[in-house]
Amino acid sequence: MDFDPFCPLGDSGIVVTLGDGIDSRTHEKVMALLGYLEEHPFEGMVEIVPGFTTVVVYYDPIRLFHLGVSFPYEWVLGKLKEMVSQFAGRKAGEARRVEIPVCYGGDFGPDLVEVASHNGLTPDEVIRIHSEAEYLIYMIGFAPGFPYLGGMDKRISTPRRRSPRLAIPEGSVGIGGEQTGIYPIESPGGWQLIGRTPLALFQPDENPPSLLRAGDIVRFRPVTQEEYVALGGAD
């Protein structure tokens, strides 16, 4: 990178850029810095938000003023520069593995046939390819608990719908281009829907509220409609 990796975000945040591409090496750096900050929080730190290539660190400038820090941004920037130099070469912790049950096709996956047709496959082949892969969660965003997954097989990549749906049911599993994802709440969206999970990805009353987090490895497990209902899904 030939630019300053530290950038202010308003008056209470700093963006630390650790790479210029979405890849596993940059992701390792993001997760390593995230882990280091979680283990070594500094005074006034409020929240850490990992992204594809960045870590955003939010801090409370008022608290720092009360602690006698005259220039909070410069103080936090100095802390982060020191931390980045200290965590260099550090490995991220072992990834957590999460299995997501999915009922594919039918009313739960109304676009499964379209995805299959677009790629010259049968619906069963799409299900097999989609559920055999392991997916790395690069970040959580777009909607609360929405995982940005890497690792989908290009054999099932499908363009987004020309006309987005106004309401996609919670738990819907979709494909958009070369990515797959899960809608944690009902929302508009243009991805091709191939199935649905009965798991609640976002529970605001829980701590943490998101079932999934950056760095997790996800695997999808096909289930029948009966299993879907038995796992708590609405029929």
Side-chain angles (χ1 to χ4, degrees):
M1 296 183 297
D2 56 358
F3 57 88
D4 188 347
F6 301 93
C7 177
L9 183 63
D11 62 356
S12 59
I14 295 179
V15 181
V16 184
T17 302
L18 298 166
D20 54 9
I22 302 173
D23 53 58
S24 58
R25 183 179 178 185
T26 299
H27 176 74
E28 279 285 326
K29 293 179 182 179
V30 168
M31 297 310 298
L33 179 56
L34 176 67
Y36 190 90
L37 285 165
E38 288 176 338
E39 293 175 12
H40 304 86
F42 56 81
E43 196 68 57
M45 191 172 77
V46 175
E47 188 177 9
I48 320 162
V49 181
F52 280 125
T53 62
T54 63
V55 174
V56 180
V57 181
Y58 292 96
Y59 59 92
D60 184 346
I62 302 302
R63 175 169 175 75
L64 292 176
F65 273 130
H66 289 164
L67 293 173
V69 177
S70 300
F71 301 99
Y73 171 75
E74 286 78 3
W75 186 85
V76 174
L77 179 61
K79 286 283 185 183
L80 290 177
K81 286 184 175 181
E82 180 183 351
M83 288 183 168
V84 168
S85 67
Q86 290 176 347
F87 100 96
R90 173 190 172 107
K91 294 288 186 180
E94 184 176 351
R96 188 179 64 140
R97 295 181 176 272
V98 183
E99 183 180 82
I100 304 292
V102 177
C103 185
Y104 288 92
D107 292 339
F108 294 150
D111 301 321
L112 177 62
V113 173
E114 170 63 25
V115 171
S117 176
H118 176 79
N119 291 286
L121 301 168
T122 67
D124 284 345
E125 286 174 325
V126 172
I127 293 171
R128 177 182 58 78
I129 293 169
H130 187 263
S131 61
E132 281 182 348
E134 288 191 335
Y135 301 89
L136 171 64
I137 300 181
Y138 279 97
M139 58 181 269
I140 302 293
F142 163 64
F146 184 94
Y148 281 85
L149 304 174
M152 192 184 79
D153 194 311
K154 292 183 179 180
R155 289 179 293 169
I156 57 175
S157 64
T158 310
R160 291 169 172 78
R161 290 169 53 87
R162 291 186 178 182
S163 178
R165 292 181 171 91
L166 296 179
I168 290 180
E170 173 186 341
S172 293
V173 177
I175 290 175
E178 295 184 2
Q179 285 189 300
T180 186
I182 314 166
Y183 287 84
I185 59 175
E186 181 179 300
S187 66
W191 288 27
Q192 307 282 356
L193 305 184
I194 62 172
R196 194 182 306 169
T197 179
L199 301 185
L201 268 66
F202 179 65
Q203 302 179 72
D205 294 331
E206 298 293 326
N207 185 23
S210 176
L211 172 66
L212 303 174
R213 57 180 182 243
D216 287 350
I217 300 294
V218 167
R219 187 97 182 239
F220 295 104
R221 176 172 64 88
V223 297
T224 64
Q225 186 168 345
E226 291 73 23
E227 290 174 298
Y228 173 92
V229 173
L231 289 168
D235 195 351

